[in-house]
Structure formats: structure tokens, C-alpha cells
Amino acid sequence: MKKAIDLWAHAGEILETVGKGVLLTTKVGDRVNTMTIGWGTLGIEWKTPIFTAFVRESRLTREYLDKNPEFTVNIPVVGDVKEILGVCGTRSGRDMDKIAQLGLHLEEPEHISVPGIRELPLTLECKVIYRQDQDLAAITPENIRRFYPPVPPLGQGDHHIAYYGEIVGAYLIED
């Protein structure tokens, strides 16, 4: 069961939790993939509520978003999700089915094709309405050193792409 929420009443909680880690979930065909993100913004652009997710170009999630421009943001509200965030932040969906391996429970979406995840019940359903590659020349040298070191696996050629997702649904998954 889902309970609709007022997005703006939960904005502070959402943004605080993003910095600690949430899941970004995508789907292509019957295959669902999720990854931990710690960067994201919540705001309004074009008079539309937006969640902007930043995904490295090398990630399977980027491939999925380019094939199906929809995603859910799955935010924990209670319980310990360190193991989930750890696995989803260090393992690739190319090598394993993270959903099955972690025993996560998918929740049918309301407005898009990508499910929510019951274990991280505060859910934002998003449709990509804009995509922008980062311009590394416009990033400060300090942030280039910190976030784009010239050492594999995260070399300077592996920049982020910003996916602006119109928030078309916001709810709490309840048992």
C-alpha cells in the first residue's frame, strides 16, 4: 500500500538523506537495477518539481536511463540500510542482480515503469525531461582533483551526467 505525501513537506528530510545515501532505481525490459547515490538536488525548474540525479557515464544506470528515461529515488526512513547502500554503491548490476542478491522487495509504480523498493519506502517517481553532460572545463580544479582523479576506475573521462527528473509521484510505501 502507498500513501501519497506532500513532496515539499518532506523536502528537508529528502535532501538530508540524499547526502547520506539513497537508491536510484532504473528499469529496462524486465531487468531492474539500483545504485547508491549521494549527490542529488530537489527543486523547481520550468515550474515543475524536479529531482536531479548525477550518474557517471560508465555506470549501467546511465545505459538504462538512456534506454528508458524514468527512475525512482528510494529513500530510507527507518531501519538499518547500510548493507543495502554498501552493496548497491560498490557492485555493478553488470555483474550481479542486486535486487535478488539483497532480497529486496519491488513495489509496483503508479506513474512510470520503474518500481519502488519497499525497504527504502519514501519514493519519488521521476521522468527525465532534460539531460546534461558535465563540462569538466567548467569545474573548479579542486573538485576535479577530489572527484575526477586521473586514476582508474574513476578517471577524468568518467564525468557525471545530470538527469533532471520531473517528479510525477511521491509516496511512502507502507506494509
Side-chain angles (χ1 to χ4, degrees):
M1 186 167 100
K2 299 180 198 91
K3 176 183 170 189
I5 61 166
D6 177 337
L7 174 67
W8 304 115
H10 290 271
E13 174 186 3
I14 292 167
L15 289 173
E16 181 180 331
T17 308
V18 166
K20 298 174 185 175
V22 299
L23 294 182
L24 178 74
T25 303
T26 55
K27 180 180 180 184
V28 171
D30 291 336
R31 183 131 187 227
V32 176
N33 186 58
T34 192
M35 69 175 273
T36 302
I37 61 169
W39 295 5
T41 63
L42 184 64
I44 297 172
E45 191 156 348
W46 307 300
K47 296 185 178 185
T48 303
I50 301 285
F51 186 91
T52 305
F54 300 91
V55 179
R56 285 192 185 267
E57 67 176 2
S58 64
R59 301 292 192 241
L60 179 63
T61 297
R62 193 260 323 146
E63 292 176 25
Y64 277 31
L65 283 168
D66 289 350
K67 291 177 182 172
N68 178 16
E70 300 176 338
F71 62 90
T72 56
V73 180
N74 317 109
I75 302 160
V77 293
V78 294
D80 183 8
V81 294
K82 287 181 190 172
E83 179 186 3
I84 294 169
L85 294 174
V87 169
C88 293
T90 59
R91 304 290 302 272
S92 173
R94 290 184 182 100
D95 303 325
M96 68 181 286
D97 180 342
K98 293 182 262 186
I99 303 294
Q101 187 79 23
L102 291 165
L104 300 177
H105 298 89
L106 300 179
E107 186 74 25
E108 283 296 315
E110 294 187 344
H111 306 285
I112 62 173
S113 63
V114 182
I117 297 177
R118 189 170 296 146
E119 289 77 9
L120 291 89
L122 200 161
T123 305
L124 306 179
E125 291 188 5
C126 302
K127 290 185 180 184
V128 175
I129 59 173
Y130 181 69
R131 174 192 189 278
Q132 177 67 51
D133 289 13
Q134 285 186 327
D135 177 0
L136 292 178
I139 299 173
T140 64
E142 176 186 337
N143 281 334
I144 289 287
R145 281 191 301 278
R146 287 184 66 201
F147 300 109
Y148 303 98
V151 180
L154 304 177
Q156 287 187 10
D158 193 25
H159 65 280
H160 287 87
I161 300 166
Y163 290 91
Y164 290 56
E166 176 183 358
I167 301 169
V168 296
Y171 51 85
L172 192 61
I173 300 168
E174 297 179 325
D175 289 329

